[in-house]
Amino acid sequence: MDVHLNNLFARFQQQFGSGPGLGPGSGTCLLKIDGIAPAFIKSLFKASAALYRTDPWKRLRPRHLFGVRVGKDSDWTGKKQPFPCAQFIGGEGGDLSFHMFRSQLDALKMTGSRETIRVPNVEVLRVSYELESLMFPSNRKMIKSLSLEVSGTDRFPVIDVARCTSTGELQFRSPTLEELRFVFAFMKAVALVHPLLQQDKEAAPKWSRLMVFEPFIETVDVQWPPEMAKGWDQIAVTISHPPDQAYEEKGNSTASSTPTKYSEPPKEEVVDFKTNWAAGLRQCAMCEKEVNGDQSLCCSWCRAIVYCDPVCQKQHWKETHKGLCGLYKAMMEREEELAMKIFMFPCSVEHPCKWLEFLGLHQKGMWRRKCNCYFHCPFGLLPVKGGLWDSWGNLDDEEYPRDSPFPNHLRDGISSPILLSGWSEYYNLRSLPFSSPVAVILSHPLTVYYILTTLSMSSKNLLLKGKDVVLHYLGPEGELDWMAAFAEIGHLLNGLGNIQVVMVGPEVPTNLSGTMSGISSRVRVNLVRGVYQEEAAYLPSPDIVIALNCGLESYPSWSGALDLIKSKNIPAFFTDQSEISCSNAKQVVRGAGLHITHPLTPNPFRSPVRNQEPSSNLPSYSNGFVLGVNT
C-alpha cells in the first residue's frame, strides 16, 4: 500500500506541479489547430528540445523577465507583438515550463514569491515540459504518429493559453497558428542568447539567493522552417533583460561598442537619398516594395536600411527602426574591415533561393544545400546525377575547379603541399574569374586545408614529410553533400602526404554510418553517426580535431567533447561566424580548462556570403574566425 501511495503522490506532483505554475495541463492538441501542418509541429518540438538542452532553469527564475520582439509589429495581427514578455518556471522545483505574457505589467501581476498568482482576465501562453506517461491520450497519439523529438529523455512540450476567470477558475484554449509562430521564434532565439547573460554580483543584495544579471539585449536571426516561410527565410528576434532594456550609446562609440537605441530620430536629417551601392533591385524595409538602388532612400545615421519613400521611412522609424538603428550603425562601421572586395557576384543569405535563381544554380548540384528547398532530404543523401559538372550546378567550364592537379607548382624542383594565403591566390592558381561563386561552398574544405597547412604546425610537418594526417571532423551537415568540393584538398596536397577525414555527428544518416570513400587519391572520408565523446573510442587516434561553425556557446553537448579533447591533449580548431560568437566560444573553451593558442584568428577562407537584409553592406560570414586549442 505504501508503494502504491508513493507512486500516486509522485504522479500527483508531476501532474499538478510542486512549484510556481497555473495547475494541470489543458489537454490541447496541436493537431486540432486550424491550418497547422505536421511538418511545423515537428519543427516546434525540435526547437523545444533544443531549448531544453540548454537548460535555462539552472540560472533563470520567474522574476527574471525577458522582453521578446519578433520581426516588425506589422508582421502580427493588430500590428502588435502577441506575447512580448517571458519568464521561466520550475527552476526552484516543480514542473519545467516557460510563460509568455501580453505585457510586462501582466507578468509582474502574476509573479508571486512561491507560485503564479491567478489574475482575472489575463492570458498567459504556457509551454510545459510534461512526461509522456502523464499526457492526455490525444497528445500521446500525436507524438507517436509524427515521431516527434523528445526533450531530455522523457518529456514533451504541451502548449496552451490559460486565462483566469473572475471567479478564479482556469480556462484553456489552443494557441493560434500565429501564436505558435511567435513561440517558435522565441524558443530558437532564447536558446542562443540566454547563456550570454552575465551575473552582476554588485547589484544583488548580500542576503538574496536570487542571481542578478547585467542588463542585456541581443538580436539574432531565426530561420523559419520551410513550411512556415512566407517569402522570407529568416526573421530578426530581439531578446532583452529586463524587458524594457534598450540599446544604449557609449560616449566614444567604436565598432565594437554597444550600439544605440534612439527614442527620437537622430538630430541630423533622417531621410537621405543614396546612390545605388548594390546591383539590382532592393526591397523597402517597411512595405517590401522593390525599388531600384538609385531611387531608394536610406537612414542617414546607420545607412543600412532602404525605403521606397519618406512615408515608409517615418513609419518604420516609429515601429521598429528606432530600436535597431544603433546596432546597424555599429555593424556598418566595420564594413571596410570585413568586406571581401575581390568577388563580383551579389550574394544573399536572407533570400538564398532568389540569389541562386539569379546565378542559375537553384536546386542544382551541391547548391541545393544553400537553400531550404531540399530540407526534407537528410544530409548526405541528395540524389546525384553524374559528374563534376553536375555537382557544380552546370557552371561554365572556366567557373569551377576541375578534378585535376595544379600544373607547374614545384618548390626547388620538389613537389610539396601548396600553401595559400587567401581567395585571390586560390582563384588565380585555378584561373577562376572572381565572378565565380564557388568560394561559397569551397569555404569549408579550404578552411580545413588552411588549418592543416598554416595554423597547425604538427599537421603541416606530417604532410611535409609525406605522412598521413588523421582528422576528426565534428558536426558535419551540408558538408556531407559537398564531397566533390572536399576533393580539392587532395589536389592542393600536390603529391605529398595523405589525409584521413573521419566525419562524426548526429546528422550523419544511419545508412551511411561506417562507410568510407576515397574522394581523391590522397583524401579518404569515413562517416560515423553519433556524438563524438561516445564514438571516439572506436575511431582511429586523431592528429587534429576540427569543427566548423560549431556554436560552442549554444550547445551544452559540446562539454563532453571538450572534456575528451582536454584529457587526450588533442590539437583542436573551432570556427564561428562572427567575432562575438568566437569570443563567447573562447570563454567556453577556457572554462573547460583548454589552452588557447590561436584566439580569434581571422580566416582568409571565410565564405563571401553577405546579408541583403537589412543591407547588402552588412557582412555575415561562415567560418569567419578560427580558435585553436592544445596546439
Side-chain angles (χ1 to χ4, degrees), residues 170-187:
L170 288 177
Q171 293 180 343
F172 299 95
R173 69 169 174 85
S174 297
T176 65
L177 189 59
E178 182 180 69
E179 289 167 344
L180 291 176
R181 293 178 77 242
F182 192 88
V183 172
F184 173 85
F186 170 73
M187 289 192 296

Side-chain angles (χ1 to χ4, degrees), residues 328-504:
Y328 292 160
K329 182 176 185 293
M331 294 175 69
M332 294 295 288
E333 287 173 346
R334 302 195 64 185
E335 178 188 4
E336 290 299 320
E337 174 188 347
L338 297 174
M340 299 173 67
K341 297 180 180 179
I342 66 168
F343 295 107
M344 305 298 185
F345 55 92
C347 301
S348 172
V349 293
E350 294 290 339
H351 309 293
C353 292
K354 289 185 178 180
W355 170 59
L356 292 170
E357 286 174 356
F358 174 82
L359 296 174
L361 299 172
H362 192 226
Q363 298 186 0
K364 292 182 179 180
M366 295 184 287
W367 303 97
R368 288 173 288 180
R369 284 296 178 214
K370 283 299 175 180
C371 69
N372 287 322
C373 292
Y374 278 78
F375 179 85
H376 60 280
C377 183
F379 293 111
L381 296 180
L382 283 178
V384 179
K385 291 183 178 180
L388 193 62
W389 183 62
D390 289 315
S391 295
W392 283 112
N394 306 337
L395 286 170
D396 292 340
D397 288 347
E398 69 276 3
E399 288 190 307
Y400 66 91
R402 309 310 300 270
D403 187 13
S404 60
F406 290 82
N408 304 322
H409 200 88
L410 301 175
R411 190 198 315 177
D412 298 328
I414 302 174
S415 177
S416 64
I418 300 171
L419 303 181
L420 298 173
S421 59
W423 284 119
S424 296
E425 187 175 359
Y426 173 78
Y427 266 56
N428 287 331
L429 283 172
R430 274 297 185 198
S431 300
L432 298 173
F434 289 136
S435 58
S436 168
V438 295
V440 176
I441 289 178
L442 285 170
S443 169
H444 286 71
L446 292 198
T447 293
V448 170
Y449 185 76
Y450 175 74
I451 291 172
L452 292 175
T453 58
T454 303
L455 298 184
S456 174
M457 290 300 102
S458 58
S459 298
K460 179 180 179 180
N461 288 335
L462 287 172
L463 292 173
L464 289 174
K465 294 176 182 177
K467 297 184 177 180
D468 288 6
V469 171
V470 178
L471 160 65
H472 286 183
Y473 189 108
L474 310 190
E477 293 184 344
E479 302 97 306
L480 296 171
D481 292 294
W482 294 341
M483 291 298 114
F486 274 79
E488 187 72 345
I489 294 178
H491 297 306
L492 289 167
L493 288 174
N494 203 32
L496 200 61
N498 299 285
I499 299 175
Q500 181 181 355
V501 183
V502 183
M503 291 189 171
V504 187

Side-chain angles (χ1 to χ4, degrees), residues 285-298:
M286 185 63 208
C287 69
E288 301 177 1
K289 174 185 175 182
E290 289 189 336
V291 57
N292 286 320
D294 56 355
Q295 298 174 352
S296 62
L297 311 176
C298 76

Side-chain angles (χ1 to χ4, degrees), residues 8-205:
L8 187 63
F9 181 72
R11 184 179 177 87
F12 179 87
Q13 276 198 319
Q14 289 286 357
Q15 182 69 33
F16 292 93
S18 58
L22 288 176
S26 64
T28 58
C29 180
L30 296 183
L31 279 175
K32 299 178 181 179
I33 296 174
D34 291 339
I36 197 165
F40 184 49
I41 297 177
K42 290 184 178 182
S43 297
L44 274 171
F45 273 63
K46 182 178 289 188
S48 176
L51 173 59
Y52 189 91
R53 287 192 293 270
T54 66
D55 202 0
W57 300 275
K58 279 186 177 179
R59 299 194 299 163
L60 302 180
R61 300 295 179 264
R63 294 184 184 179
H64 296 133
L65 299 179
F66 292 85
V68 185
R69 184 178 184 84
V70 180
K72 303 176 292 186
D73 290 347
S74 58
D75 295 333
W76 308 102
T77 300
K79 296 187 177 181
K80 186 177 182 180
Q81 303 278 323
F83 292 96
C85 186
Q87 67 178 180
F88 286 85
I89 301 293
E92 294 175 328
D95 294 336
L96 302 181
S97 62
F98 64 84
H99 294 170
M100 303 189 73
F101 302 89
R102 299 286 188 186
S103 67
Q104 182 180 356
L105 181 60
D106 286 350
L108 293 173
K109 286 179 181 179
M110 298 186 69
T111 303
S113 58
R114 298 292 299 171
E115 61 182 7
T116 300
I117 302 172
R118 298 187 180 186
V119 180
N121 302 318
V122 172
E123 279 194 333
V124 54
L125 188 149
R126 314 182 310 164
V127 179
S128 306
Y129 290 90
E130 295 185 7
L131 291 172
E132 183 181 5
S133 59
L134 301 177
M135 298 175 73
F136 282 82
S138 58
N139 278 316
R140 290 203 300 269
K141 184 177 180 181
M142 176 184 69
I143 290 168
K144 185 176 181 180
S145 63
L146 298 181
S147 300
L148 299 176
E149 184 169 344
V150 64
S151 296
T153 57
D154 54 2
R155 294 181 182 270
F156 292 89
V158 174
I159 308 174
D160 58 29
V161 179
R163 178 178 174 272
C164 181
T165 66
S166 57
T167 60
E169 296 179 354
L170 288 177
Q171 293 180 343
F172 299 95
R173 69 169 174 85
S174 297
T176 65
L177 189 59
E178 182 180 69
E179 289 167 344
L180 291 176
R181 293 178 77 242
F182 192 88
V183 172
F184 173 85
F186 170 73
M187 289 192 296
K188 295 284 286 185
V190 77
L192 295 174
V193 304
H194 81 77
L196 306 181
L197 285 167
Q198 299 293 323
Q199 184 177 3
D200 189 347
K201 297 181 180 179
E202 302 295 328

Side-chain angles (χ1 to χ4, degrees), residues 262-305:
Y262 297 97
S263 57
E264 297 179 1
K267 292 182 180 179
E268 59 180 295
E269 187 180 358
V270 176
V271 181
D272 179 55
F273 286 90
K274 187 177 181 182
T275 57
N276 181 15
W277 64 79
L281 296 175
R282 304 296 305 280
Q283 284 189 319
C284 174
M286 185 63 208
C287 69
E288 301 177 1
K289 174 185 175 182
E290 289 189 336
V291 57
N292 286 320
D294 56 355
Q295 298 174 352
S296 62
L297 311 176
C298 76
C299 173
S300 66
W301 181 256
C302 69
R303 294 198 172 273
I305 300 294

Side-chain angles (χ1 to χ4, degrees), residues 495-552:
L496 200 61
N498 299 285
I499 299 175
Q500 181 181 355
V501 183
V502 183
M503 291 189 171
V504 187
E507 296 297 338
V508 174
T510 303
N511 59 327
L512 293 183
S513 183
T515 63
M516 182 184 72
S517 61
I519 60 174
S520 77
S521 60
R522 297 195 172 272
V523 180
R524 302 184 307 279
V525 177
N526 294 72
L527 301 180
V528 178
R529 179 181 177 86
V531 180
Y532 180 61
Q533 54 268 31
E534 297 174 0
E535 301 295 334
Y538 308 101
L539 306 178
S541 180
D543 298 301
I544 189 172
V545 172
I546 292 177
L548 304 186
N549 299 337
C550 53
L552 283 178

